[in-house]
Amino acid sequence: MNRENKIGKIVIASDHAGFELKQSLIEAMRADGVEVTDLGPDSSDQVDYPDYGIKVANMVSEDENLSGIVMCGTGIGMSIVVNRFPKVRGTLCNDVYTAKLCRQHNDSNILIMGGRVIGKGLAYEIVRTWMSTPFEGGRHGRRLEKINNIGKMLSKGEL
């Protein structure tokens, strides 16, 4: 799928604190006909969130046709993990407005939420808004290009 269009295929994961919300979102998305791949965990037993954030971020980083959703207790840990990957633009959203703007202005490809921060109903409204909002391009594309160049410049010692 062209990144300037709406979001299609989703990979999703959480830690134990986001497990219940993840399961709820998977059920709701599949009921709406969204293609969702669950990367775990399979229970609410305690796990380490980086293990699951890495799975999603690695897949999204390598395939521009995939988008991801990750959850931990607050979303902060997952935010740190996924944004370490090239081509990943993970955005922590706790409201619908942020979900809309992170797609329009930042071409977000991983949505991050806090399983202990927001309820299931709001979370699905955030997901639906995030999935249906296209990237605007234009001046925002120019800004994303600057962000994409940061890693290159750092590796060359130019910053």
Side-chain angles (χ1 to χ4, degrees):
M1 169 176 267
N2 182 324
R3 293 295 315 155
E4 292 189 1
N5 292 325
K6 296 175 187 172
I7 291 174
K9 296 178 185 176
I10 299 286
V11 289
I12 190 169
S14 70
D15 69 355
H16 54 281
F19 178 77
E20 187 177 324
L21 182 58
K22 176 186 68 121
Q23 296 305 108
S24 172
L25 292 174
I26 290 169
E27 183 179 312
M29 286 188 288
R30 287 183 176 158
D32 281 350
V34 178
E35 185 178 335
V36 183
T37 302
D38 183 0
L39 300 180
D42 296 328
S43 75
S44 61
D45 294 344
Q46 188 174 14
V47 296
D48 295 334
Y49 65 85
D51 297 336
Y52 294 92
I54 288 167
K55 289 179 182 184
V56 170
N58 192 48
M59 290 180 74
V60 171
S61 179
E62 293 180 359
D63 185 348
E64 69 179 28
N65 296 311
L66 282 179
S67 296
I69 300 173
V70 293
M71 288 144 284
C72 60
T74 62
I76 295 168
M78 286 290 199
S79 294
I80 294 167
V81 170
V82 302
N83 282 303
R84 305 283 299 196
F85 284 75
K87 302 179 189 173
V88 166
R89 292 169 306 282
T91 50
L92 177 58
C93 296
N94 293 318
D95 59 75
V96 174
Y97 180 71
T98 305
K100 180 177 180 178
L101 288 185
C102 77
R103 286 286 303 135
Q104 286 180 334
H105 295 185
N106 307 111
D107 196 20
S108 170
N109 56 6
I110 297 183
L111 174 63
I112 307 157
M113 292 183 285
R116 294 179 176 157
V117 176
I118 57 176
K120 294 175 186 176
L122 175 57
Y124 195 54
E125 287 304 312
I126 290 169
V127 168
R128 290 179 74 189
T129 299
W130 181 77
M131 288 184 63
S132 66
T133 303
F135 176 52
E136 287 182 350
R139 71 183 189 275
H140 305 296
R142 182 180 71 244
R143 294 168 183 162
L144 285 182
E145 188 60 33
K146 288 181 179 186
I147 293 168
N148 291 337
N149 286 330
I150 291 171
K152 297 172 194 170
M153 294 171 72
L154 284 170
S155 67
K156 293 179 181 179
E158 295 175 357
L159 287 178

